[in-house]
Amino acid sequence: AGHVDESNGLTDDQWRNLAKGLHDLADNLEPMGMRVVFHNHVGTYVETQAETARLLDETDPAKVGWCLDIGHLAYGGGDTLSMLPAYGGRVAHIHLKDVDGEVLARAKAEGWSFGQALKTWIFPALGEGIAHVPEVVETLLARGYDGWFVLEQDTTPDDPKDVARANREYLEALLGSLAPA
């Protein structure tokens, strides 16, 4: 995580090959009523905002949707809100998680692996980090997103059931506050 840059990332040919593979997969899945939805993820070649944008630019929107993971995008230095005007229509699925800005800064300064960041609880409960959860949810809903909001809590020092409940209640309250009067 955080160790790939343009000098050791995918070449232009590799980007085109990735896009072709995703398009081929989409063509094979379409007769079964399934769609390809790509998940940006820390520790891969599609981690940063630039890499995520490149993937979306290289692929056909009719064939490849975006599984937007706002926590992974923030971890990779990205800003979901700045990507939504251009790519919000590609969001077919969303993973909501927040990012602890202090842990992220330390992970970057000390060159931690993704595993070390997870062990240091890089992903706090929703609303306690820097991923702009309320603004992202509001923007997606305003754009007509009507899919699932998957609540992810990769690691936690607390009881996972308590964190899952708190995250669900946070999202329910947020959605309630955004509902038309």
Side-chain angles (χ1 to χ4, degrees):
H3 300 284
V4 175
D5 59 29
E6 286 187 32
S7 67
N8 62 7
L10 298 178
T11 66
D12 288 343
D13 285 342
Q14 290 169 324
W15 279 110
R16 285 188 291 274
N17 188 47
L18 174 58
K20 182 186 180 314
L22 292 170
H23 291 158
D24 290 347
L25 179 60
D27 291 341
N28 287 319
L29 292 176
E30 191 273 330
M32 294 181 266
M34 296 170 52
R35 181 171 184 220
V36 171
V37 179
F38 193 92
H39 180 284
N40 58 283
H41 202 285
V42 170
T44 72
Y45 288 102
V46 185
E47 171 183 73
T48 68
Q49 181 164 329
E51 292 160 351
T52 302
R54 175 81 185 255
L55 181 278
L56 294 170
D57 289 340
E58 292 280 343
T59 55
D60 180 348
K63 294 186 179 206
V64 180
W66 182 17
C67 175
L68 166 60
D69 188 309
I70 70 172
H72 283 270
L73 192 62
Y75 186 121
D79 176 12
T80 300
L81 293 173
S82 72
M83 290 193 72
L84 289 178
Y87 303 106
R90 299 283 296 269
V91 176
H93 194 72
I94 185 163
H95 290 181
L96 288 180
K97 67 167 65 86
D98 223 329
V99 175
D100 184 314
E102 291 179 14
V103 175
L104 178 61
R106 190 168 163 216
K108 290 182 182 237
E110 298 177 19
W112 291 354
S113 68
F114 182 46
Q116 177 62 37
L118 287 172
K119 290 175 187 172
T120 314
W121 304 293
I122 185 91
F123 299 119
L126 291 180
E128 296 180 5
I130 62 168
H132 307 292
V133 175
E135 296 90 341
V136 169
V137 170
E138 182 176 20
T139 301
L140 285 168
L141 293 175
R143 293 183 62 88
Y145 179 76
D146 67 352
W148 289 91
F149 287 99
V150 175
L151 304 178
E152 285 194 315
Q153 189 67 51
D154 292 353
T155 58
T156 178
D158 302 315
D159 184 319
K161 290 180 294 192
D162 293 339
V163 175
R165 183 179 308 104
N167 282 342
R168 187 197 74 226
E169 290 170 355
Y170 175 90
L171 181 59
E172 287 172 346
L174 175 59
L175 292 172
S177 75
L178 297 174

